Amino acid sequence: MRPSDVLDADAVRQWVDVCVRDLRALRAEIDGINVYPVADSDTGSNLLHTITAARDALSGRDVPDAGAALTTAADAAVRAAKGNSGIILSQVLRGMASSAAGSDALDGAALAAALRSADSAATSAVARPVAGTMLSVLHAVSTALDDRDGDTASGVAVLAAKTAAEALANTPNQLAALAVAGVVDAGGRGLVAVLDALVETLTGVRTPVPARTTPHARAGEEPSPRAWEVMYLLTVPDGGGNGTDTAGGLPALRRALSALGDSVTVAEAGEREYAIHVHCADIGAALEAGLDHGRPHRVRVEPLLTPGPAEPAVAAADRAVVAVVRGEALADLVGGEGTPVLVVDADGEPTTEDLLTLVTGTAATHVTVLAGGVRLTAAAERITGHPMLEDRDVVVVPCASPVQVLAALAVHDPGRRAGADVVAMAEAAAATRRGEVVVAAEDAITWVGRVAAGDVVGFIDGEVVLIESGDAGRRVERAATGVLDRMLAVGGELVTVLVGDGAPDGVADVLAEHLRAERPDVELVCYPGGQTDAVLLMGVE
């Protein structure tokens, strides 16, 4: 193999050839570590199938330049892509082809740009990217290649492969399912092989591929399908049709598929054509969703198998607790204690796929969900009976406020039996009285008086208890101490306060001083909450 400092058409061919060779050698190993999102042992096979189609398309075909070679490979890969990993790999090629369009050869700067474009294309195709997967490895490469304009193509390839290997090693720290199984991400392992092949193409130095691999052993009863992997190409009419926004990647179709299952991918496959992928329990519904937007064709359906009783390599964690909250600051607080957390926009709700991914990402058979609000709790409860979770016991602890989530987490004890632990968390949440201090956005009538826009309103357990107007600089403080005094009038030993983004400076100090003077027996803890709908959230235990 000839080393080269540019990626030209011949080098693209050689790269794809080496990818096929190495992914064939690694197929059993990659299949054997495939535990997320479903342990169906096919990621290596799907990657090999996808890249083989790209090689076959280039074989014997006259392509004038690197851009044309990448486009030919990408088009074939998208149409043949199998599985989530195969679609992502096809989008890596498509992103590179888009960046390299019209280029005779890619030097270092152009190759770096192409790999960054690959990251964008692959990430945008996936409805909800998950940390600890093939996408994380690819994004780490993209980030490392910022401002590499002075590098040679071989230097860029070496850096990309090195970064990918490091990111791959970190995937078990990002995704609980991998840590439990003691493996790295299977798709990420395949991507490392693809980048190692690029290094060999440009430098002539081969990265050793293990000669012997150990796939998962399957024994005992034949497993039965838990759900299905549904894949098809979708051709949409001119102008989108049926409200389809082709430029935006069919957002309505993404939402429909996300309501059916997880691992949703809607990837561009050419002009007015998309590659669709979803894991779901209802094949017909997945196809009907496509029919609402265009013409599905080349439909492929494969079973997602629940591992049999003698499946030793994918033993799940017994139980886990996850949280759904609003506000990055609160998410950091909860996540800092090791709890997987989903952050939701201030006025939004989590999608079905968001919640399914949160639950399945734990690899636990018993999952307790703590959702920081009435609407978030209702959204979580809606997915407990989802067909994709039929092999898991999912329990939602009722919480009306983030302070109740914190109270529940404070009593969580992994050493207790699962049922007893859920009861303890539910009791702690229910026993926590909740207060809010908000700034009124408009005029209103309440049972304690008239509220004008801009007034500060105090709530206890969802009921208005006071209204503060007048001096803008002090009314938040007056409302905060007033709500706190009313809550403590019936007892309490611990006050937890989450400070919102709109809170005035020093309000936490004012509360601390007030308690020292009025209730020195009460402990106060304040955290940045990051919420935008309330100036302060309070909990009293």
Side-chain angles (χ1 to χ4, degrees):
M1 179 172 296
R2 63 174 184 84
S4 173
D5 260 340
V6 295
L7 188 72
D8 56 18
D10 287 341
V12 171
R13 291 181 192 275
Q14 292 173 7
W15 175 37
V16 174
D17 285 344
V18 176
C19 286
V20 171
R21 182 200 71 196
D22 288 355
L23 286 174
R24 180 179 291 122
L26 286 166
R27 175 172 55 183
E29 176 190 319
I30 295 174
D31 283 346
I33 62 173
N34 174 200
V35 299
Y36 182 86
V38 177
D40 51 358
S41 299
D42 65 358
T43 293
S45 300
N46 291 342
L47 290 170
L48 178 59
H49 179 87
T50 303
I51 200 67
T52 299
R55 181 203 61 187
D56 293 346
L58 285 169
S59 179
R61 182 167 179 173
D62 183 25
V63 287
D65 53 43
L70 287 167
T71 298
T72 298
D75 288 347
V78 171
R79 283 165 173 75
K82 291 187 68 175
N84 209 37
S85 58
I87 289 183
I88 291 173
L89 178 57
S90 76
Q91 291 304 292
V92 169
L93 294 173
R94 176 165 288 282
M96 294 181 69
S98 175
S99 177
S103 299
D104 288 336
L106 306 187
D107 60 11
L111 180 57
L115 290 170
R116 291 194 295 269
S117 177
D119 174 42
S120 298
T123 300
S124 63
V126 177
R128 184 176 184 271
V130 175
T133 63
M134 186 177 183
L135 290 175
S136 299
V137 176
L138 182 59
H139 187 64
V141 171
S142 176
T143 302
L145 294 179
D146 284 339
D147 302 321
R148 308 301 298 192
D149 292 347
D151 286 4
T152 62
S154 57
V156 167
V158 169
L159 176 61
K162 177 177 180 292
T163 302
E166 293 170 350
L168 177 67
N170 191 45
T171 55
N173 299 323
Q174 299 172 296
L175 193 54
L178 304 179
V180 169
V183 297
V184 294
D185 179 65
R189 177 66 186 94
L191 181 62
V192 169
V194 167
L195 293 173
D196 284 342
L198 182 60
V199 171
E200 180 176 345
T201 299
L202 294 174
T203 67
V205 178
R206 181 177 184 181
T207 301
V209 175
R212 187 173 66 87
T213 57
T214 307
H216 283 320
R218 292 194 179 273
E221 295 180 10
E222 188 68 22
S224 58
R226 173 175 67 84
W228 305 90
E229 181 175 41
V230 181
M231 299 161 280
Y232 53 87
L233 291 178
L234 180 71
T235 301
V236 301
D238 284 324
N242 297 326
T244 299
D245 174 11
T246 55
L250 286 80
L253 178 57
R254 287 173 183 263
R255 289 192 295 270
L257 294 174
S258 293
L260 295 174
D262 59 10
S263 296
V264 174
T265 306
V266 179
E268 289 190 26
E271 185 177 0
R272 298 188 298 108
E273 193 163 56
Y274 292 80
I276 309 301
H277 175 278
V278 61
H279 291 170
C280 66
D282 192 336
I283 301 168
L287 293 173
E288 288 172 0
L291 285 167
D292 288 339
H293 297 276
R295 181 178 66 86
H297 57 103
R298 294 185 63 176
V299 178
R300 300 193 302 274
V301 177
E302 296 183 4
L304 296 174
L305 301 178
T306 301
E311 176 68 67
V314 201
D318 177 52
R319 45 201 276 241
V321 175
V322 301
V324 185
V325 300
R326 304 186 194 278
E328 292 288 348
L330 179 59
D332 290 343
L333 176 64
V334 173
E337 299 300 317
T339 301
V341 59
L342 172 65
V343 187
V344 182
D345 292 339
D347 297 321
E349 290 193 19
T351 66
T352 298
E353 187 179 26
D354 289 338
L355 293 166
L356 291 176
T357 302
L358 177 68
V359 171
T360 58
T362 65
T365 54
H366 183 285
V367 181
T368 304
V369 183
L370 303 173
V374 174
R375 288 170 57 200
L376 298 182
T377 297
E381 287 174 340
R382 284 195 291 270
I383 62 102
T384 56
H386 198 284
M388 295 295 293
L389 299 178
E390 67 179 16
D391 60 341
R392 289 177 168 83
D393 183 16
V394 181
V395 179
V396 179
V397 171
C399 295
S401 169
V403 294
Q404 293 179 327
V405 171
L406 296 179
L409 284 173
V411 302
H412 167 51
D413 182 359
R416 274 195 294 249
R417 289 184 301 106
D421 196 42
V422 169
V423 169
M425 288 189 284
E427 290 177 343
T432 301
R433 301 191 68 202
R434 54 191 173 87
E436 296 176 62
V437 176
V438 304
V439 177
E442 57 186 21
D443 296 351
I445 299 293
T446 76
W447 74 280
V448 298
R450 182 182 295 274
V451 176
D455 286 349
V456 177
V457 183
F459 294 80
I460 295 178
D461 292 333
E463 299 290 340
V464 177
V465 296
L466 59 83
I467 301 166
E468 288 288 348
S469 56
D471 178 18
R474 298 296 306 278
R475 58 190 175 195
V476 170
E477 297 174 2
R478 293 197 302 270
T481 54
V483 169
L484 195 53
D485 287 342
R486 286 168 170 79
M487 294 175 75
L488 290 172
V490 294
E493 300 175 349
L494 172 65
V495 174
T496 302
V497 177
L498 295 175
V499 182
D501 283 347
D505 292 340
V507 68
D509 294 335
V510 170
L511 289 175
E513 185 60 33
H514 179 76
L515 286 179
R516 277 195 294 269
E518 301 295 331
R519 292 293 303 269
D521 57 312
V522 174
E523 181 183 355
L524 171 70
V525 289
C526 295
Y527 303 107
Q531 71 272 8
T532 58
D533 55 343
V535 178
L536 298 172
L537 295 173
M538 302 180 187
V540 172
E541 303 172 55

